Amino acid sequence: MELEVRHLRALCAIADTGSLRKAARQLGMSQPSLTTQLRRIENAIGGPLFSRELTGSRPTPLGRSVLCRARPIVAEMNALVAEAKQEAGRCGPTTGARLRVGSTGGQAVAGWLRRLRARFPDADTTIHIDVWADSLLRMVAGSQLDVAFVHEAEGAPLRVPDGVRRRVLVAREPQFVALPATHPAAARPVVPLADLAAEQWMLDPAHEGQEATLRRAFATAGRSPRVVYGDYPTAADLVASGELVTPCRPTATPRPGLAIRPLLDDPLTLRLSLASRPTDPPDADALFHDLRDSYLELAWASTAYRQWLRRNDSPLPRAAEGGNPTKNRLPA
């Protein structure tokens, strides 16, 4: 077996995420497939590259040696592809500018794209969605994305590459809780976390840092949550049926049988920011302002979040009073 760039990318992904499961998700493949691929790579090299521990996968001394050589190769290949795509864009049939945005997802993205396309009607605007914020930050650093809207769980800081700056949209976005409308706590405008200590919590494993934050919040009260894993669409059905509760964004839309309430003292929070390269011109401000306006539109449409913003005297609504830039130019 001959090593290829895709094999080196897999090794870097395992090292960066510290987990075969997370690396497989980042690479868009199944965990068994990645495990088999890693075994073949180790057989080709002649030794184990990672040690499997309870806390994840860590590079062995041989693995660290291989990664030191692999990372520059992967970075150079990424730069080559990015530059080739840029050249192809200049030489291709389209004459408009290109705007490449990334995001970890969220309801604000659709409104953001709508505003960007209205601001830059001649641009070829594309969106790249990835649940792993660290992956998006690396793409910004490698000039594969112009900007990326990323979320960061409190207590689980992102690994920000050199050459990437972040502009904070919301320093501490509260995580609300989705619970059955028939639950006694749903009658309260604000729910103490202790009132939900006996419930089963569903968490999305793609939301890095969420479980650690939840367990830390419960540990403060001397409790330990019962946790199962799934995605939010699945969780919504189970919540409505009375089976469990789940953290949710404050902009989440209520549905029949399901109530969305703030948690007392906001024990679960996210930091929202827009990442770009420092060399971007001042027009990057327009991208940020459009994202902020899209987020504000969602926040004001949510009764519970609107009340939370007013109750906590959030600067977010006041920030919109300054208006938007009017230049219709794109980052070079």
Side-chain angles (χ1 to χ4, degrees):
M1 169 185 167
E2 293 186 359
L3 288 183
E4 303 173 11
V5 175
R6 64 187 178 94
H7 298 138
L8 303 184
R9 282 200 178 99
L11 296 179
C12 292
I14 297 170
D16 290 340
T17 62
S19 162
L20 280 168
R21 175 180 59 81
K22 293 178 181 179
R25 192 154 188 169
Q26 178 179 303
L27 295 166
M29 59 194 302
S30 68
Q31 181 175 336
S33 297
L34 180 58
T35 301
T36 300
Q37 186 177 93
L38 175 59
R39 190 178 301 116
R40 290 173 178 169
I41 295 171
E42 290 176 330
N43 288 339
I45 290 177
L49 302 178
F50 293 91
S51 61
R52 282 63 161 180
E53 302 174 2
L54 291 176
T55 55
S57 298
R58 296 184 180 278
T60 62
L62 175 60
R64 288 194 292 271
S65 176
V66 172
L67 285 165
C68 285
R69 303 292 296 272
R71 290 189 188 280
I73 296 172
V74 172
E76 186 64 26
M77 181 59 69
N78 290 342
L80 184 154
V81 172
E83 291 172 11
K85 287 183 177 179
Q86 287 181 341
E87 185 64 24
R90 286 193 292 267
C91 300
T94 59
T95 57
R98 298 173 65 237
L99 176 61
R100 302 158 303 171
V101 301
S103 176
T104 44
Q107 294 169 296
V109 173
W112 185 31
L113 287 175
R114 184 179 69 248
R115 286 173 169 81
L116 291 180
R117 291 194 169 108
R119 184 183 293 277
F120 308 115
D122 297 327
D124 176 18
T125 302
T126 59
I127 179 71
H128 178 85
I129 301 294
D130 194 320
V131 296
W132 305 113
D134 287 324
S135 176
L136 293 172
L137 294 178
R138 289 195 297 273
M139 292 181 72
V140 172
S143 299
Q144 296 167 280
L145 292 174
D146 297 305
V147 292
F149 176 35
V150 295
H151 307 156
E152 178 180 18
E154 187 172 21
L158 297 175
R159 293 180 285 272
V160 182
D162 293 337
V164 172
R165 67 171 182 176
R166 288 190 296 163
R167 187 168 178 177
V168 176
L169 174 70
V170 181
R172 292 184 82 245
E173 181 194 72
Q175 292 283 274
F176 287 4
V177 62
L179 67 163
T182 55
H183 194 287
R188 296 189 175 194
V190 179
V191 179
L193 192 65
D195 285 6
L196 304 174
E199 304 300 329
Q200 186 167 238
W201 290 75
M202 177 174 276
L203 302 179
D204 188 339
H207 294 174
E208 199 163 7
Q210 187 182 67
E211 181 176 356
T213 303
L214 180 69
R215 292 191 181 280
R216 189 162 50 245
F218 269 103
T220 302
R223 306 294 293 269
S224 179
R226 295 188 297 142
V227 174
V228 296
Y229 303 97
D231 56 77
Y232 184 71
T234 302
D237 291 333
L238 292 173
V239 169
S241 67
E243 294 294 327
L244 47 81
V245 300
T246 185
C248 67
R249 303 291 295 277
T251 53
T253 304
R255 53 178 289 178
L258 182 150
I260 295 175
R261 297 288 184 269
L263 289 166
L264 183 65
D265 297 329
D266 307 317
L268 312 175
T269 63
L270 294 176
R271 185 175 190 239
L272 314 185
S273 58
L274 186 67
S276 63
R277 294 178 298 281
T279 53
D280 288 341
D283 284 338
D285 290 347
L287 308 183
F288 179 82
H289 290 145
D290 282 342
L291 175 60
R292 184 183 61 192
D293 288 348
S294 176
Y295 186 87
L296 264 176
E297 182 179 57
L298 275 174
W300 237 238
S302 166
T303 302
Y305 195 23
R306 185 170 65 245
Q307 292 172 348
W308 185 95
L309 290 169
R310 287 172 172 164
R311 188 166 59 247
N312 289 272
D313 193 27
S314 170
L316 189 63
R318 296 194 300 274
E321 295 174 0
N324 288 345
T326 57
K327 294 180 181 179
N328 283 356
R329 292 186 290 112
L330 284 176

